[in-house]
Amino acid sequence: MPEGPELHLASLYVNKMCAGVVFTGPVRKSEVSKNPDVPFTCEAYCITAASRGKEVKLTLTPMKSDDPKERMKVGQADQPMDVVIRFGMSGYFRFTTEDELPKHAHLRFYSKETPCRVLSFVDARRFGSWQPNGTWQSDRGPCVMFEYESFREKVVSHLSDRAFDKPICEVLLNQKYFNGIGNYLRAEILFRTVLEGLESEDLCENKKPLKNDTTDTKTSDCAKQKWVKGETGDLLRLCHTVPLEVVNLGGKGYNPQKTDYSDFKAWLQCYYVDGMKSIGDHNGRTMWFKGDPGPMAPKDSKSSKAKKRAKKEDGHDYTNKKKVVRKRSESTSKKKVVKQETVTKTPKKEKKARPKEAGTKRREAEKSREVTAPQHEKGSTARRRKSSSAEPAAGPQRRSGRVTRQNSK
């Protein structure tokens, strides 16, 4: 989402591209946009831009003409109009030819030249908004970047407000006090500072705002309740200097039009960085941090473990993903082996049959002993068998005797 630095860079873009350009005709909006029409029509006007926190103000100023006929036309604007724009999740400006008009250009300003060029507000997700004859929202605080003294004074003088009873990561998104701070800025600010007691005066006021001398400070948690005594690089100071670092990146920072964010990612130290944790705050916004989330973290949400994400840029390196797939395949194969072992176990009936198998083995062993035993042992065993079974043996002998007698007769 575009935050304070991105909106300031957008205003600089408008001033650069529209310098010396004369615009004409009505301001047009797309048919699908639900935002209000901008009732401004002029034969010749110029456009300038300014930013304040998370808002951009376009000023449409009619240009005076020496021709009295043009000044007398009905419906032509003769006074400047301010159009205040909020970017939502994906808004940005583009200045192109009419043939190259972006698909999601929802607000358009046409130049007075051939071929015609168009300054358009592009918003693919349509969360952005604009207000004709608008002013800076009264419930937004001073800009953290360009109204630093007023911003600091307002925060320090309202620390007893109930808004500061919440976790500090949620307080930083309150635009009433921290106008311009968004999701990625709060993570970077809290990562670079220890929560400290705030003074009305900045103790490091004389230092250069873009000098990053707080990189080695301790990591702050997502939710600490106390603000300890101030020292150089306190929380409010970083709310001012960290956004200015992004502004100092210029076009190398976040830009919805670009696909290469290598410079911006190199600047990030916490937000969506490998090794950091994330947790959803009470408003459902993802907070990136390092360490313990603290006692004020939502009870239902669990902090995710630090994970390394695969790098898609620089040749599409997906090695980390491949390793994960291999590990998963190995684990699934192990599970299959375990299942096969459990299936091939002998059932209970086979367990009962084991003593019989043992008995047959013993008999086979005894037979092998009989084969290898001496002749006198065989004779002794045979005698024992005859003595133990003498009666059954006599029966057949008598029968055989009778048979011989009959044959002799």
Side-chain angles (χ1 to χ4, degrees), residues 183-184 187-188 265 268-278 286-289 307 309-310:
N183 209 24
Y184 83 81
E188 295 300 316
K265 289 180 180 179
L268 292 171
Q269 299 181 25
C270 179
Y271 181 77
Y272 225 88
V273 173
D274 291 342
M276 298 298 161
K277 298 179 181 178
S278 63
T286 302
M287 173 63 193
W288 293 86
F289 65 100
K307 297 180 180 179
R309 291 167 176 77

Side-chain angles (χ1 to χ4, degrees), residues 334-347:
K334 288 181 180 179
K335 289 180 181 179
K336 289 181 180 179
V337 171
V338 172
K339 288 182 179 180
Q340 289 177 358
E341 290 178 357
T342 55
V343 171
T344 54
K345 285 184 179 179
T346 55

Side-chain angles (χ1 to χ4, degrees), residues 58-331:
L58 296 183
T59 302
L60 315 180
T61 305
M63 301 178 68
K64 294 181 180 181
S65 175
D66 296 333
D67 189 356
K69 293 182 180 180
E70 292 185 2
R71 289 184 293 176
M72 295 302 293
K73 286 184 178 180
V74 180
Q76 297 293 311
D78 58 353
Q79 296 295 326
M81 174 184 283
D82 292 332
V83 182
V84 178
I85 302 178
R86 301 168 193 94
F87 281 25
M89 294 293 292
S90 58
Y92 61 93
F93 287 111
R94 285 200 67 183
F95 192 55
T96 63
T97 62
E98 192 173 9
D99 296 335
E100 298 175 344
L101 195 67
K103 181 180 179 180
H104 300 285
H106 297 300
L107 191 64
R108 307 162 192 168
F109 307 86
Y110 291 82
S111 68
K112 191 177 184 179
E113 57 187 347
T114 304
C116 177
R117 290 186 293 173
V118 184
L119 174 68
S120 56
F121 174 67
V122 185
D123 185 12
R125 302 182 69 177
R126 282 188 274 172
F127 288 162
S129 63
W130 57 79
Q131 180 184 1
N133 293 313
T135 57
W136 304 124
Q137 283 186 329
S138 58
D139 57 347
R140 289 180 179 267
C143 178
V144 296
M145 294 183 292
F146 305 109
E147 298 173 332
Y148 174 58
E149 293 181 359
S150 301
F151 151 70
R152 186 181 186 92
E153 183 181 357
K154 182 172 183 178
V155 172
V156 173
S157 60
H158 289 81
L159 287 178
S160 59
D161 194 336
R162 292 181 61 184
F164 293 92
D165 293 338
K166 297 180 180 180
I168 185 58
C169 64
E170 296 178 9
V171 175
L172 288 181
L173 296 184
N174 189 339
Q175 301 301 297
K176 182 179 179 180
Y177 298 104
F178 298 88
N179 187 11
I181 302 298
N183 209 24
Y184 83 81
L185 281 177
R186 70 167 175 176
E188 295 300 316
I189 291 167
L190 290 177
F191 181 77
R192 302 180 188 203
T193 187
V194 175
L195 299 181
E196 299 165 347
L198 302 177
E199 303 291 341
S200 59
E201 296 181 0
D202 186 0
L203 299 180
C204 58
E205 186 176 5
N206 296 326
K207 293 191 175 183
K208 294 181 181 180
L210 293 180
K211 185 179 179 181
N212 185 10
D213 55 355
T214 58
T215 305
D216 297 331
T217 55
K218 296 181 180 179
T219 303
S220 66
D221 295 339
C222 173
K224 284 188 178 180
Q225 301 179 43
K226 296 183 178 179
W227 307 38
V228 231
K229 189 163 184 183
E231 55 188 34
T232 58
D234 64 4
L235 179 68
L236 298 186
R237 178 72 179 177
L238 290 172
C239 288
H240 169 64
T241 58
V242 172
L244 287 177
E245 291 179 14
V246 182
V247 173
N248 197 39
L249 291 174
K252 298 179 181 179
Y254 169 78
N255 189 337
Q257 303 179 62
K258 297 174 62 176
T259 56
D260 181 15
Y261 296 102
S262 56
D263 293 320
F264 182 66
K265 289 180 180 179
W267 173 82
L268 292 171
Q269 299 181 25
C270 179
Y271 181 77
Y272 225 88
V273 173
D274 291 342
M276 298 298 161
K277 298 179 181 178
S278 63
I279 190 174
D281 61 18
H282 291 89
N283 299 318
R285 301 290 299 276
T286 302
M287 173 63 193
W288 293 86
F289 65 100
K290 183 178 181 180
D292 186 4
M296 296 182 74
K299 295 180 180 179
D300 298 334
S301 61
K302 296 180 180 180
S303 60
S304 61
K305 296 181 180 179
K307 297 180 180 179
K308 290 186 177 180
R309 291 167 176 77
K311 296 181 180 180
K312 294 185 180 180
E313 59 272 10
D314 299 333
H316 299 282
D317 184 9
Y318 299 102
T319 52
N320 290 340
K321 289 187 177 180
K322 289 180 180 178
K323 291 180 180 178
V324 173
V325 172
R326 288 176 183 174
K327 290 181 180 179
R328 288 180 180 174
S329 61
E330 290 176 2
S331 62

